[in-house]
Amino acid sequence: MKRILAATVLSSLAVLSSCSEQQGPQETGPRRVTVATATEQPLTQGGTITGEIRARVQSDLSFRVSGKIIERLADVGASVKAGQLLARIDAEEQRADLEVAVANLEAAEAQQTQAQLAFDRQQNLFRTQVTTRAAFDQAQEVLLTAQGSAKSAQAQLETAKDALSFTDLRADADGVITARNAEVGQVAQAAQVIFTLAHDGPRDAVFDVVETLFLGREIEPSVTVKLLSDPSRQADARVREVSPTIDPSTGTVKVKLSLNSNTSMPLGAPVAGSFQYKPLSMIQLPWSAMTSKGGMPAVWVVDPGSSKISLRAIEVEGYETNSFTIKTGVAAGDIIVSEGTKFLRPDEVVSYEGGAAK
């Protein structure tokens, strides 16, 4: 058995030796990689955000007095004209106040007439030295008081008339009703919003934009707006207003775009706005060129003279779908390893198209 085992081992070694001789010595050389030359080029970045079409001028309509709504003459989507009656509240209380004001004015005017006659009589008597100065002054004082009472009663009458007119809610401009917040039979409080009226005229595309969109970069004032329901319908718009405050509930900034006057996009229609940053000259590399150095972004840089590589930390400006832009760490003309970055070592010699190891 020992002889058989020894023969088997020697036979195997002979076979391996024979194979090794047939293969011959393995050749080694620089690792082959793909490189990209860093070049600065104007890059335009941005994104698409959804919003809606709104009237540039919009007003909330409300009664200026409280009362029970007895009639509603408009609904959402209705086109109305300036001065058109939209709703009415029960005016029984206001009519009663008006009647009281009229009665008070009549009484004040009667007292004024009586005081005027008494003053005229005392004035004639005083001229003929029949009455005293004190009686004359008293008649004059009563007349002035009566005149003041009459003016006050007149003002109260005008206030009562206004209050009666406030029981009718009318449109303050031509436009379209976009919201309704009350029904017949409901008791409306003064200043409670009943209708929202979108005025006819210029329209805006309104977007709620994340605040980071405006950090460190300037937005192009021109934006393309498209209808989500029909992308073929599009319009050029310009940034008209950027809210200086952030909505605490959504963490967004309201941005309003001014649409062209001939744009026929319906109110409330959802739209998509393509916002773009102003172009900046930056270096852009494919995502495969990125590696890590101490947990920070880095790239492999090739020395064109020796074909040796070195690992260099970078600062990334932004990430795109298939690439990233560099803020610092790479200069124009640097040769960057774009593919084959795995298993590379500092000072390793590599070969690439257009270059060779020295």
Side-chain angles (χ1 to χ4, degrees):
M1 290 296 294
K2 292 182 179 180
R3 292 179 180 178
I4 295 175
L5 180 60
T8 302
V9 171
L10 291 174
S11 176
S12 300
L13 289 175
V15 172
L16 292 175
S17 178
S18 176
C19 292
S20 177
E21 291 176 357
Q22 291 178 0
Q23 290 178 353
Q26 294 182 351
E27 295 183 358
T28 61
R31 190 189 305 272
R32 187 72 175 179
V33 296
T34 303
V35 299
T37 302
T39 56
E40 287 191 355
Q41 52 185 333
L43 299 177
T44 302
Q45 297 174 312
T48 301
I49 305 172
T50 57
E52 66 174 334
I53 300 298
R54 297 181 187 175
R56 181 170 301 177
V57 180
Q58 186 170 283
S59 58
D60 293 329
L61 305 180
S62 58
F63 289 105
R64 297 173 64 176
V65 294
S66 302
K68 182 179 179 181
I69 300 176
I70 59 174
E71 193 173 8
R72 177 175 59 79
L73 304 174
D75 208 338
V76 175
S79 297
V80 298
K81 299 295 183 181
Q84 181 176 333
L85 182 63
L86 305 179
R88 180 181 289 119
I89 62 175
D90 187 1
E92 190 65 29
E93 180 179 353
Q94 285 73 22
R95 291 194 187 94
D97 292 341
L98 179 60
E99 292 176 358
V100 171
V102 171
N104 290 337
L105 177 60
E106 291 176 351
E109 288 176 344
Q111 292 177 358
Q112 179 182 354
T113 301
Q114 185 177 2
Q116 184 67 51
L117 294 174
F119 173 75
D120 293 341
R121 184 167 54 255
Q122 288 294 328
Q123 188 176 37
N124 293 330
L125 293 176
F126 182 73
R127 287 174 181 172
T128 58
Q129 302 294 322
V130 176
T131 186
T132 63
R133 180 73 184 186
F136 174 75
D137 291 341
Q138 184 179 5
Q140 187 177 26
E141 180 181 356
V142 172
L143 175 61
L144 293 175
T145 301
Q147 289 175 343
S149 298
K151 290 181 179 180
S152 177
Q154 182 66 42
Q156 292 177 359
L157 176 61
E158 297 300 327
T159 301
K161 289 180 179 179
D162 289 341
L164 180 60
S165 66
F166 295 156
T167 59
D168 292 340
L169 182 60
R170 298 181 181 276
D172 59 352
D174 296 349
V176 178
I177 300 296
T178 59
R180 170 177 50 82
N181 303 307
E183 294 290 349
V184 174
Q186 179 179 340
V187 176
Q189 301 298 322
Q192 176 185 340
V193 177
I194 306 301
F195 295 103
T196 299
L197 176 64
H199 294 204
D200 289 343
R203 295 180 180 179
D204 290 340
V206 182
F207 299 86
D208 291 321
V209 180
V210 179
E211 60 168 329
T212 54
L213 183 67
F214 299 97
L215 297 180
R217 296 288 298 275
E218 189 175 355
I219 295 291
E220 285 279 11
S222 180
V223 180
T224 300
V225 177
K226 299 180 181 180
L227 279 176
L228 289 180
S229 59
D230 185 7
S232 62
R233 295 178 61 183
Q234 64 180 36
D236 293 330
R238 298 188 65 83
V239 177
R240 183 179 68 84
E241 178 184 318
V242 178
S243 175
T245 59
I246 300 174
D247 189 333
S249 60
T250 61
T252 57
V253 176
K254 192 171 294 297
V255 178
K256 296 181 179 180
L257 307 182
S258 175
L259 296 174
N260 295 332
S261 57
N262 58 353
T263 302
S264 59
M265 292 186 178
L267 289 173
V271 293
S274 299
F275 289 82
Q276 299 291 334
Y277 291 115
K278 287 190 174 180
L280 291 178
S281 293
M282 294 184 292
I283 295 175
Q284 188 175 37
L285 294 175
W287 63 269
S288 56
M290 183 178 291
T291 184
S292 175
K293 181 180 181 180
M296 301 299 293
V299 294
W300 289 103
V301 182
V302 182
D303 182 359
S306 62
S307 294
K308 290 184 178 181
I309 60 173
S310 60
L311 189 59
R312 186 183 299 175
I314 61 172
E315 184 178 355
V316 178
E317 172 71 21
Y319 296 91
E320 301 295 331
T321 303
N322 296 315
S323 62
F324 63 97
T325 54
I326 298 176
K327 187 175 183 180
T328 59
V330 175
D334 287 346
I335 301 175
I336 309 299
V337 178
S338 60
E339 292 184 11
T341 59
K342 294 182 178 180
F343 309 115
L344 295 179
R345 302 184 306 275
D347 294 330
E348 180 180 355
V349 177
V350 297
S351 66
Y352 55 92
E353 185 177 354
K358 305 294 184 182

